[in-house]
C-alpha cells in the first residue's frame, strides 16, 4: 500500500467515509522510457509513473538533475534495468535518501557479453544491457515488475496479475510476428550495418546479424579517412542495407549509399521510445517499427 494511503485511509475511516485509498496511486519511478511503458501496462490505474530519462533520451550518459533525486525520495517503488545501463543511479539513490524498494527488471535474464571494447563513446560497457531487444526478455521484465508491484501494494494483486497477463499475451503475439517476418527474409540477406551496438539480444534471438563498422560511432561527422574505412567495412560486409543513425548530414548518408551501392534503411529505435507523436511511443510500437524497417530493407 502506498504510504500516504495508510494515512488517508485512517483519516477517512475516522470520518466514517468509504475508504479513499483507491484514489491514491502508487508512485513508481522508472529509470527510462521503455521501463516506464512496461510499468504503465502492468500498473494501470493503480500507479503514477515518473520516468527519469524521457523519450529519445540516452540512458547510458544521462546526467541526473536535483528534481530526479526528489522523484526518488517521493517514490513508493523504483524500477531499474540493471546490467550496467544506469551507471549514474547508485549515486543518485544515495543522494536522494530514498528507502523505496527497487525492482531490477532484468533479474533472471542471462546477460550477454558485448563485443565492444570496455566502454565506448556512447557509454556502452562490456555487459550488454539492452536485454529488452529480445521480446522473450521483455516478458521477464514484465513478470519482475508485476511481482515487485504486488509486493509493494498487495491490495492491487488481482489488478497487477490481470494487467500483466493481458500484456504478456500481446508480447507473445509480438514475438511470433517478429519470428515469422524474419523467417520470410532470405537467410543470406539477414545482415544489417549499423552504428548501434544495441541489438545483440535481437541478433541472438532472431538471427539477423548486425555489423558495426569501426569508426561509425566515434564521431557524429566522420573525417574523410573515417568515411573511407566505413565504406570499406560496408563493402566487405556484403550487407544489403545500412542504418547509420549518428551520421546526421544527409550528404554523408548519400555518399555511403553511392559508394557502396547499399540501401539506406530508416531509423531503428534501440534505447528509448519516442514521444506520443513519434513512431515508437510504446515498446510494442518500437519493436514493430524496427521490424518493418528491417523487413522492407532486406526483403527486396
Ligand atoms: Zn545503448
Amino acid at each position: 500500500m502506498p504510504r500516504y494511503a495508510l494515512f488517508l485511509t485512517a483519516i477517512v475511516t475516522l470520518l466514517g467515509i468509504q475508504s479513499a485509498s483507491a484514489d491514491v496511486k502508487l508512485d513508481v519511478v522508472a529509470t527510462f522510457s521503455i521501463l516506464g511503458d512496461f510499468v504503465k501496462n502492468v500498473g494501470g490505474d493503480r500507479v503514477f509513473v515518473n520516468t527519469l530519462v524521457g523519450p529519445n533520451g540516452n540512458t547510458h550518459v544521462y546526467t541526473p538533475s536535483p528534481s530526479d533525486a526528489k522523484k526518488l525520495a517521493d517514490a513508493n517503488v523504483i524500477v531499474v534495468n540493471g546490467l550496467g545501463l544506469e551507471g549514474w543511479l547508485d549515486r543518485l539513490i544515495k543522494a536522494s535518501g530514498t528507502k523505496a524498494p527497487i525492482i531490477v527488471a532484468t533479474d533472471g535474464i542471462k546477460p550477454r557479453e558485448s563485443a565492444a571494447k570496455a566502454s565506448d563513446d556512447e557509454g556502452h560497457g562490456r555487459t550488454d544491457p539492452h536485454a529488452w531487444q529480445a521480446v522473450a526478455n521483455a516478458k521477464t521484465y514484465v513478470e519482475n515488475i508485476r511481482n515487485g508491484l504486488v509486493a509493494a501494494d498487495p491490495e492491487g494483486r488481482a489488478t497487477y496479475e490481470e494487467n500483466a497477463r493481458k500484456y504478456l499475451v500481446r508480447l507473445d503475439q509480438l514475438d511470433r510476428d517478429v519470428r515469422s517476418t524474419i523467417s520470410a527474409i532470405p537467410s543470406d540477406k539477414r545482415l544489417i550495418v549499423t552504428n548501434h551496438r544495441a541489438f545483440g539480444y535481437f541478433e541472438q534471438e532472431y538471427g539477423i546479424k548486425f555489423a558495426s563498422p569501426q569508426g561509425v560511432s566515434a564521431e557524429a561527422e566522420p573525417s574523410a579517412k573515417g568515411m573511407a574505412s566505413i565504406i570499406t567495412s560496408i563493402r566487405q560486409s556484403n550487407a544489403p542495407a545500412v542504418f547509420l543513425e549518428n551520421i546526421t548530414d544527409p550528404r554523408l548518408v548519400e555518399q555511403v549509399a553511392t559508394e557502396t551501392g547499399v540501401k539506406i534503411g530508416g531509423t531503428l529505435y534501440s534505447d528509448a521510445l519516442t514521444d506520443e507523436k513519434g513512431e515508437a511511443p510504446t515498446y510494442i510500437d518500437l519493436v514493430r517499427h524496427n521490424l518493418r524497417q528491417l523487413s522492407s530493407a532486406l526483403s527486396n
Side-chain angles (χ1 to χ4, degrees):
M1 178 183 281
R3 18 180 217 271
Y4 302 117
L6 262 177
F7 176 64
L8 262 186
T9 308
I11 291 180
V12 170
T13 309
L14 278 176
L15 294 173
I17 305 170
Q18 198 71 16
S19 167
S21 64
D23 294 325
V24 180
K25 294 178 188 255
L26 196 71
D27 190 335
V28 184
V29 171
T31 51
F32 71 113
S33 53
I34 292 170
L35 289 182
D37 181 47
F38 293 150
V39 176
K40 281 177 200 160
N41 275 286
V42 177
D45 292 341
R46 291 191 72 90
V47 301
F48 174 77
V49 184
N50 248 314
T51 300
L52 299 183
V53 184
N56 302 310
N58 185 341
T59 308
H60 300 283
V61 294
Y62 183 65
T63 306
S65 68
S67 73
D68 290 333
K70 173 87 170 69
K71 284 178 192 166
L72 289 184
D74 293 343
N76 299 118
V77 179
I78 299 165
V79 184
V80 309
N81 185 77
L83 303 183
L85 179 70
E86 305 103 335
W88 39 270
L89 187 66
D90 285 351
R91 263 186 75 192
L92 182 66
I93 284 179
K94 227 176 222 158
S96 75
T98 182
K99 297 283 184 289
I102 296 172
I103 301 173
V104 180
T106 54
D107 258 359
I109 291 173
K110 188 172 175 281
R112 255 189 94 250
E113 293 304 300
S114 170
K117 57 190 181 195
S119 176
D120 70 14
D121 305 329
E122 294 155 6
H124 293 104
R126 192 168 282 287
T127 301
D128 185 347
H130 308 87
W132 62 86
Q133 287 294 346
V135 178
N137 289 340
K139 290 175 62 183
T140 301
Y141 279 56
V142 168
E143 288 160 359
N144 285 331
I145 290 168
R146 175 198 62 202
N147 297 346
L149 293 181
V150 167
D153 175 23
E155 283 184 11
R157 174 186 286 273
T159 305
Y160 299 134
E161 287 181 348
E162 179 60 6
N163 289 349
R165 192 191 60 75
K166 284 185 184 151
Y167 188 60
L168 289 169
V169 168
R170 296 178 65 202
L171 292 182
D172 277 330
Q173 184 59 52
L174 181 67
D175 190 58
R176 282 195 294 273
D177 291 347
V178 174
R179 286 175 201 286
S180 69
T181 303
I182 288 173
S183 71
I185 299 170
S187 56
D188 61 332
K189 286 199 168 182
R190 292 179 199 166
L191 178 68
I192 282 282
V193 174
T194 172
N195 57 321
H196 266 104
R197 293 198 177 101
F199 292 96
Y201 291 90
F202 189 97
E203 176 173 333
Q204 187 176 284
E205 188 79 13
Y206 302 116
I208 283 209
K209 190 151 174 43
F210 288 79
S212 300
Q214 273 204 331
V216 176
S217 66
E219 296 158 281
E221 296 192 0
S223 61
K225 195 171 159 233
M227 277 304 286
S229 102
I230 290 166
I231 285 164
T232 305
S233 307
I234 292 170
R235 279 199 185 125
Q236 285 168 353
S237 74
N238 289 322
V242 60
F243 291 77
L244 291 168
E245 288 134 84
N246 280 5
I247 298 177
T248 48
D249 186 338
R251 287 171 304 179
L252 292 176
V253 180
E254 280 160 23
Q255 188 189 343
V256 168
T258 311
E259 296 199 19
T260 60
V262 170
K263 261 185 297 187
I264 302 295
T267 304
L268 292 181
Y269 294 103
S270 63
D271 290 17
L273 302 177
T274 63
D275 64 19
E276 285 300 319
K277 290 179 189 139
E279 294 170 311
T282 71
Y283 172 76
I284 290 177
D285 292 330
L286 175 148
V287 174
R288 290 200 184 281
H289 170 87
N290 287 350
L291 191 60
R292 277 195 302 274
Q293 297 289 319
L294 293 175
S295 157
S296 72
L298 301 183
S299 292
N300 43 56

